[in-house]
Amino acid sequence: MTGKVWLVGAGPSDIGLLTLKGKAVLEAAEVVVYDALVSPEILALVPEDAELVNVGKRSHHHIRRQEEINQILLEEALQGKRVVRLKGGDPFLFGRGGEELQLLTEHEIPYEIVPGVTSAIAVPAYSGIPVTHRDFCSSVHIITGHKKKDAPLDLNFDALVSMKATLVFLMGVTALPDICAGLLAAGMDPKTPAAIVEKGTTAEQRRVVSTVAGLPEESRQAAIEAPAIIVVGPVCRLAEEFAWAEKRELAGCRVIVTRPRDRASALTDRLRQKGAQVIDIPAIRTEAIPDNKALQDALGRLAEFQWIVFTSPAGVKIFLEALRAEKKDVRSLAGCRLAVLGPGTRRELERCGLFADLEPGTYDGVSLGRALAAVLQPGERVLLPRAAKGNPEIVEEIRKAPSVILEDIPIYETLYEKSPLIDERAEFEKHPQTLAVFTSASTVRGFLVATEGLDVSRVRALCIGKQTARAAGEAGMRTYTAEKATMDSLEELVCRVHREMEEKDCGE
């Protein structure tokens, strides 16, 4: 059976600019062939079991030649696979998408094109530059600024100047002096506004607004690097007036949020809404302990327990799955009261129509153990189904209740994992201002495994509670702890730490 190829435009970087169709196709892919300019946030959407092929295309540096890429797409499709060719920007705008389709067409391989938001429009927009404005121009022209090494720039500058339009140059950082010199030689007014925007739509976005005559030198002084977009035309003078991206509360903030693989992060969405660039990285995954005789025995004696205590959403999920496997439903819990560690665990129960009888005011094991011990009656029996490497403090607190009978049963293992697509160590070494958000001690340990060799003393660890902060502190990280163990409080902590870092930079 012949497979199919999708050419998907990933947009300029911001994951919010990936189209809904692009996201759906990517999440169903069996093979993903991706470029270097695809952002780590988007790469995090790639299915865990997908085959990955990094073709790493950047200006003057290609891991694979274009002919090799074309052949990869063909061979994978001939094996009957769903193949996604993931490109930055739009696949048909200087993306060589047409070349990749030629070989597929020759072999009658079915394909679809999923257009992407082009950086030629999006990056200026994120910098407050509308590429068209009826007071300034009637057209916009997108030009490749790429040139072969040691070769002159082959552009018709006379035609470009005569159009009196907005000119957008892609892949033109190294050619910037030649571009501006060519425009001036063709008669463009040296005072014509011009801008260059570096790493547009990311937390590291910077712009330099100048004139055609002054932009090369000002860009050099600002040490502007690729990827960057060059815009020439009167619309550039609107940049300061229309600037919006840098006014968001978390503009310039880069955050890595660690989480279990099977749990989406609501915190991630909230931080992105405030302007942060967030990389959502699974640091751990949970697996039910197979053939768990102890759990099976407890499920056969549920009538003996007065309390069942859940310390994580994973514990709730795995416990209820085991209950169903024993041909039992929630009616089996009729005589049991339920205690939970915090809101996430409570919500997981509520999805199944169950409601917690006890939840501590402070969301940690010690507080839950103390709250439960305070209401236990002598001789009551407690079932504690949880992780194999659970916090011992909750057990110590529960056992302070008189004559309590506690059955602490491991029901799942916490396994640490490293992303095959995102080099977390490199992310911190390249971007030392990145904040790391941890929602449990286990995600701290998973992060340490994934970033082996990293100087963690430079990592700012923003932690949801004391136990998490203790794990990060013991590892040597610079720790910050949310006032309350809630996502609201953790979000406030990110905003506060980012604000403090900005104030320090301004002071220096």
Side-chain angles (χ1 to χ4, degrees), residues 46-337:
V46 173
E48 182 181 7
D49 56 353
E51 180 185 344
L52 309 170
V53 183
N54 178 9
V55 294
K57 293 180 67 176
R58 283 185 184 269
S59 179
H60 303 307
H61 179 69
H62 294 177
I63 294 175
R64 305 272 191 151
R65 291 181 297 109
Q66 185 61 52
E67 295 75 15
E68 290 182 89
I69 297 171
N70 301 347
Q71 194 64 35
I72 289 169
L73 299 178
L74 174 62
E75 291 174 357
E76 294 292 348
L78 287 173
Q79 295 178 43
K81 298 176 182 176
R82 297 189 302 274
V83 184
V84 169
R85 174 69 174 101
L86 190 62
K87 296 169 169 285
D90 180 90
F92 277 4
L93 186 63
F94 304 130
R96 304 184 76 169
E99 296 177 44
E100 294 173 352
L101 293 187
Q102 287 176 338
L103 189 60
L104 299 177
T105 301
E106 290 172 13
H107 289 80
E108 299 184 339
I109 301 295
Y111 57 80
E112 288 189 29
I113 313 303
V114 183
V117 175
T118 173
S119 58
I121 307 299
V123 169
Y126 267 56
S127 202
I129 300 173
V131 294
T132 63
H133 190 295
R134 67 180 184 174
D135 291 343
F136 299 112
C137 63
S138 58
S139 64
V140 58
H141 300 266
I142 303 170
I143 308 116
T144 175
H146 178 70
K147 66 174 186 174
K148 293 182 179 180
K149 193 173 182 181
D150 300 323
L153 196 61
D154 184 19
L155 292 176
N156 187 340
F157 286 105
D158 290 330
L160 293 177
V161 172
S162 68
M163 289 184 292
K164 300 186 183 300
T166 299
L167 306 177
V168 180
F169 295 86
L170 306 184
M171 302 175 288
V173 175
T174 56
L176 177 60
D178 294 338
I179 290 171
C180 292
L183 293 172
L184 293 171
M188 181 172 279
D189 185 344
K191 296 181 181 178
T192 301
I196 186 166
V197 185
E198 176 190 70
K199 298 182 176 67
T201 81
T202 76
E204 298 169 293
Q205 174 175 303
R206 293 193 299 154
R207 73 168 174 270
V208 174
V209 179
S210 181
T211 62
V212 174
L215 187 60
E217 177 58 22
E218 292 190 38
S219 176
R220 187 191 66 78
Q221 291 180 3
I224 295 294
E225 299 177 347
I229 304 295
I230 301 164
V231 187
V232 177
V235 291
C236 293
R237 67 168 62 108
L238 297 172
E240 296 300 326
E241 180 183 353
F242 289 174
W244 61 273
E246 58 263 46
K247 295 177 181 178
R248 295 172 295 174
E249 185 174 2
L250 290 177
C253 182
R254 202 166 185 279
V255 185
I256 282 183
V257 175
T258 58
R259 61 171 177 82
R261 173 169 287 279
D262 60 349
R263 294 190 62 80
S265 175
L267 177 64
T268 293
D269 294 335
R270 292 158 67 166
L271 296 178
R272 283 176 178 154
Q273 288 170 13
K274 291 191 172 184
Q277 180 183 0
V278 186
I279 306 173
D280 209 2
I281 296 181
I284 59 173
R285 72 176 189 273
T286 55
E287 288 188 3
I289 295 174
D291 194 24
N292 193 335
K293 301 296 185 185
L295 178 57
Q296 291 169 4
D297 174 67
L299 293 177
R301 301 182 289 106
L302 285 174
E304 297 179 9
F305 297 98
Q306 284 72 51
W307 284 91
I308 303 177
V309 181
F310 295 106
T311 60
S312 70
V316 173
K317 184 177 179 181
I318 291 170
F319 179 86
L320 293 177
E321 286 174 352
L323 192 66
R324 283 191 289 272
E326 294 294 313
K327 307 296 184 185
K328 297 176 182 290
D329 59 27
V330 293
R331 289 174 295 179
S332 305
L333 307 178
C336 303
R337 284 176 286 177

Side-chain angles (χ1 to χ4, degrees), residues 298 301 304-311 339 365 368-370 372-373 376-386 391-410:
R301 301 182 289 106
E304 297 179 9
F305 297 98
Q306 284 72 51
W307 284 91
I308 303 177
V309 181
F310 295 106
T311 60
L368 176 57
R370 287 174 179 169
L372 183 60
L376 284 172
Q377 299 300 311
E380 284 194 314
R381 189 180 292 269
V382 178
L383 176 61
L384 179 59
R386 59 177 184 148
N391 178 5
E393 293 176 336
I394 185 173
V395 172
E396 295 169 3
E397 294 298 330
I398 292 174
R399 284 185 170 150
K400 291 178 181 178
S403 307
V404 66
I405 303 169
L406 174 64
E407 293 192 31
D408 182 9
I409 299 179

Side-chain angles (χ1 to χ4, degrees), residues 10-15 35-44 86 88 202 277 279 422:
S13 186
D14 186 343
I15 191 173
D35 286 347
L37 289 179
V38 177
S39 70
E41 301 99 296
I42 292 174
L43 290 177
L86 190 62
T202 76
Q277 180 183 0
I279 306 173
I422 302 169

